[in-house]
Amino acid sequence: MVNLDLELVYSPKQVHEHLRVSDSSLRKYAMALEARGYKFRKEDNGNRIFTQHDIDIFEILKQRLDAGQSMKTAASSTMNHVRKNVPRTLPVPVAPAVPPAAPQASQAVTERSADAFKQKFEEGFAVLLEDRIQTAIKPLIEGVTQLSGLVADLTNQNKQLLSQNQELRTMLPAPRDIEEEKRQQREFVDEVKVLHEKQKKLEQQHYEELKRQNEEIQKLIPPAPDLEKERCERTNEYLTIRRINLALEKEAYEHWSRKPEHERIRKIGLFKKEENIEVRNQFIKSYMDEYFEDRLRGEFAQ
């Protein structure tokens, strides 16, 4: 977190930890908002940086996603909220760009980036599925707790009635007539039966209500994921990223070859010349880093 011109700027890691979402989910939020006109501040190397205003917008978007809206609907309604709100503050200077990695490690960095992207995607999907299941079973747990408390209350009431009856029986004088005593016993038994029937009826009503809630919850639980379909989607995403990297690398070579000779060639001694491999590799990596996100957004927006 950097303090620039009295305004706090946050890194992507700080933001997704604050929102309790994965890094890949945060990138999806940002891409969805950018597709609808929202502008984020970026460093010289193209990485996004965020202000407190951006975090507030992310929280509004996340609340609407948690409420069940699709990404497109939630992003559109969030942008409507932004447009109705007070205009954003002036841009904040960005932090200096991070020095590029060594040229000979560019291919390894590209492969590690693809693997990290796949891992973040799988982690984000697992977290989302777990959140949906926890949200779905919460009403069922609350219903079971309420029913257990009600049964305990009825049991206590029954015990109290029995205890009161015993106390009354000890306080009453001995019956003068056996028939009268039998009549009182029959009345007491009838009262107990009525209470028992009421208790059974109330338990049945709560059981039916709990059963109905359970059926509604079952409808909300998403079906089991299609593992073969997910595997194909992850493969397609990996191939798409690989294809983009190869296309960008080819374009970078073409741009490099059109540069003036004094930028591409360096002298060795008095008469020998050779291509400046270090500068070329640095140029190619910078070119790929600059255009990778735009190409990736274009591929997944189709």
Side-chain angles (χ1 to χ4, degrees):
M1 183 172 62
V2 184
N3 189 342
L4 301 174
D5 290 348
L6 302 180
E7 185 171 8
L8 295 178
V9 178
Y10 300 85
S11 67
K13 180 179 179 182
Q14 291 173 314
V15 176
H16 78 71
E17 288 179 351
H18 172 77
L19 296 175
R20 296 182 179 179
V21 299
S22 63
D23 182 50
S24 61
S25 296
L26 180 63
R27 287 199 297 272
K28 290 181 180 179
Y29 292 177
M31 292 171 65
L33 292 174
E34 287 179 336
R36 287 156 182 82
Y38 195 87
K39 302 296 183 183
F40 291 99
R41 304 172 188 183
K42 296 185 178 180
E43 298 176 324
D44 293 340
N45 59 4
N47 293 333
R48 298 185 187 90
I49 53 175
F50 305 101
T51 64
Q52 184 60 48
H53 180 273
D54 298 329
I55 297 175
D56 295 339
I57 299 304
F58 280 137
E59 289 179 342
I60 295 173
L61 176 61
K62 184 175 182 293
Q63 290 174 359
R64 296 179 178 178
L65 290 172
D66 292 342
Q69 296 184 7
S70 64
M71 179 63 76
K72 291 183 179 179
T73 302
S76 298
S77 59
T78 301
M79 287 303 299
N80 290 334
H81 171 81
V82 172
R83 295 186 182 98
K84 292 178 182 178
N85 216 345
V86 180
R88 298 181 64 191
T89 57
L90 294 175
V92 177
V94 299
V98 179
Q104 59 270 21
S106 61
Q107 183 64 25
V109 170
T110 302
E111 294 177 355
R112 286 198 300 272
S113 299
D115 292 338
F117 179 85
K118 290 170 58 182
Q119 181 180 359
K120 292 294 185 180
F121 176 83
E122 294 173 351
E123 292 175 353
F125 181 83
V127 171
L128 177 61
L129 182 59
E130 182 179 357
D131 291 343
R132 290 294 176 87
I133 292 175
Q134 292 296 331
T135 302
I137 66 175
K138 184 178 179 180
L140 179 60
I141 296 175
E142 294 177 351
V144 172
T145 303
Q146 292 176 359
L147 181 58
S148 300
L150 181 60
V151 172
D153 292 340
L154 291 173
T155 302
N156 291 332
Q157 291 177 9
N158 196 14
K159 290 181 179 179
Q160 291 176 2
L161 289 173
L162 292 174
S163 176
Q164 291 174 4
N165 181 66
Q166 292 295 333
E167 292 177 359
L168 290 174
R169 288 173 63 87
T170 58
M171 295 173 62
L172 291 174
R176 298 178 181 179
D177 192 337
I178 296 177
E179 293 298 329
E180 179 66 19
E181 182 178 0
K182 290 181 179 180
R183 185 187 63 80
Q184 292 177 356
Q185 289 177 352
R186 287 194 298 269
E187 290 179 354
F188 172 74
V189 171
D190 292 339
E191 291 178 358
V192 172
K193 287 182 178 180
V194 171
L195 289 175
H196 182 67
E197 291 297 328
K198 289 183 179 180
Q199 179 178 349
K200 288 177 61 178
K201 184 178 180 180
L202 188 58
E203 290 177 352
Q204 183 65 26
Q205 290 176 352
H206 281 277
Y207 172 77
E208 294 296 334
E209 177 64 19
L210 186 61
K211 181 179 178 182
R212 184 187 63 79
Q213 293 179 1
N214 181 60
E215 291 174 352
E216 293 179 355
I217 291 171
Q218 291 296 329
K219 294 177 181 179
L220 296 176
I221 297 177
D226 188 340
L227 298 180
E228 183 63 27
K229 182 179 179 181
E230 291 179 6
R231 190 179 300 110
C232 292
E233 290 177 353
R234 289 196 297 268
T235 302
N236 290 336
E237 289 177 359
Y238 174 77
L239 293 176
T240 299
I241 293 173
R242 181 63 177 167
R243 185 172 62 254
I244 291 173
N245 284 332
L246 292 176
L248 288 175
E249 186 175 3
K250 182 178 179 181
E251 292 177 10
Y253 271 108
E254 292 176 354
H255 283 287
W256 169 259
S257 63
R258 291 196 293 268
K259 282 183 169 292
E261 182 176 332
H262 69 275
E263 296 183 14
R264 295 184 294 105
I265 305 301
R266 65 177 182 178
K267 292 182 178 181
I268 300 177
L270 295 176
F271 305 101
K272 188 176 180 180
K273 297 180 180 180
E274 68 175 14
E275 186 176 16
N276 194 330
I277 303 300
E278 181 178 355
V279 175
R280 183 197 67 187
N281 292 340
Q282 183 177 358
F283 172 81
I284 292 172
K285 182 181 183 304
S286 299
Y287 184 91
M288 293 175 67
D289 290 342
E290 179 179 359
Y291 294 100
F292 175 78
E293 186 174 329
D294 291 337
R295 295 291 177 85
L296 183 63
R297 187 185 296 112
E299 286 287 339
F300 285 106
Q302 294 178 357

